[in-house]
Amino acid sequence: MKEIDELDLPDDVLYSKEHEYARSADQKVIIGINDYAQDQMGDLVFVELPQVGDSFQTGEVFGTIESVKAVIEVYMPLAGEVIEVNNSLEDSPEKVNNSPYVEGWMIGVKPDNPDEVGQLMSRDAYLEMLKGLD
């Protein structure tokens, strides 16, 4: 597993305490699990995602990911409607391991309240939280 200083945690995304990320893009927010989460999981073998049109509240489970180690639930960092799903992860879940922010994104969401994105953690705040987990 990676040390904290080896993690890829871009400045242009925001982070949840459950290790999801959110990146604003045009009129949507792209959501996935961050580098820390994929590193902790190990090699992913299965990703289950919602359907376009599904709506979720903040903190609700929107999918599951399975690795050789465990199965975990993935939580919505903000309320909204799913408007895009990365279906390529069905056949290639390893994209989450190899490129969590580019090829391994999970869903695109139209947020119910765009201001909710700002309630997520910055990179620095997220790093401080991770250091507290050690």
Side-chain angles (χ1 to χ4, degrees), residues 30-81:
I30 301 299
I31 296 171
I33 63 168
N34 67 39
D35 193 38
Y36 173 82
Q38 73 76 23
D39 185 58
Q40 294 291 307
M41 288 290 295
D43 293 334
L44 297 186
V45 296
F46 180 75
V47 176
E48 180 180 48
L49 298 173
Q51 301 293 315
V52 169
D54 290 349
S55 291
F56 298 92
Q57 295 302 309
T58 303
E60 284 188 318
V61 173
F62 75 82
T64 57
I65 55 176
E66 182 178 341
S67 73
V68 294
K69 294 182 184 180
V71 176
I72 66 163
E73 295 177 325
V74 189
Y75 300 93
M76 283 293 283
L78 56 111
E81 179 186 348

Side-chain angles (χ1 to χ4, degrees), residues 97-116:
N97 292 116
N98 300 333
S99 179
Y101 307 104
V102 180
E103 293 181 1
W105 64 275
M106 295 182 171
I107 58 175
V109 174
K110 179 182 175 191
D112 290 348
N113 177 2
D115 294 338
E116 193 175 3

Side-chain angles (χ1 to χ4, degrees), residues 1-45:
M1 285 197 285
K2 297 178 181 179
E3 297 295 322
I4 288 178
D5 62 349
E6 297 174 314
L7 294 170
D8 178 17
L9 299 172
D11 286 324
D12 69 335
V13 301
L14 296 171
Y15 302 89
S16 73
K17 65 183 190 300
E18 290 84 15
H19 313 293
E20 289 82 21
Y21 70 83
R23 173 184 279 140
S24 294
D26 299 320
Q27 298 293 317
K28 64 185 172 189
V29 177
I30 301 299
I31 296 171
I33 63 168
N34 67 39
D35 193 38
Y36 173 82
Q38 73 76 23
D39 185 58
Q40 294 291 307
M41 288 290 295
D43 293 334
L44 297 186
V45 296

Side-chain angles (χ1 to χ4, degrees), residues 68-133:
V68 294
K69 294 182 184 180
V71 176
I72 66 163
E73 295 177 325
V74 189
Y75 300 93
M76 283 293 283
L78 56 111
E81 179 186 348
V82 177
I83 58 172
E84 193 172 8
V85 176
N86 186 354
N87 291 317
S88 73
L89 299 181
E90 289 178 17
D91 295 327
S92 303
E94 70 278 0
K95 288 180 178 182
V96 177
N97 292 116
N98 300 333
S99 179
Y101 307 104
V102 180
E103 293 181 1
W105 64 275
M106 295 182 171
I107 58 175
V109 174
K110 179 182 175 191
D112 290 348
N113 177 2
D115 294 338
E116 193 175 3
V117 176
Q119 296 173 13
L120 297 169
M121 288 182 270
S122 67
R123 178 186 189 275
D124 291 341
Y126 182 71
L127 278 171
E128 285 303 310
M129 185 197 81
L130 289 179
K131 289 175 185 173
L133 297 177

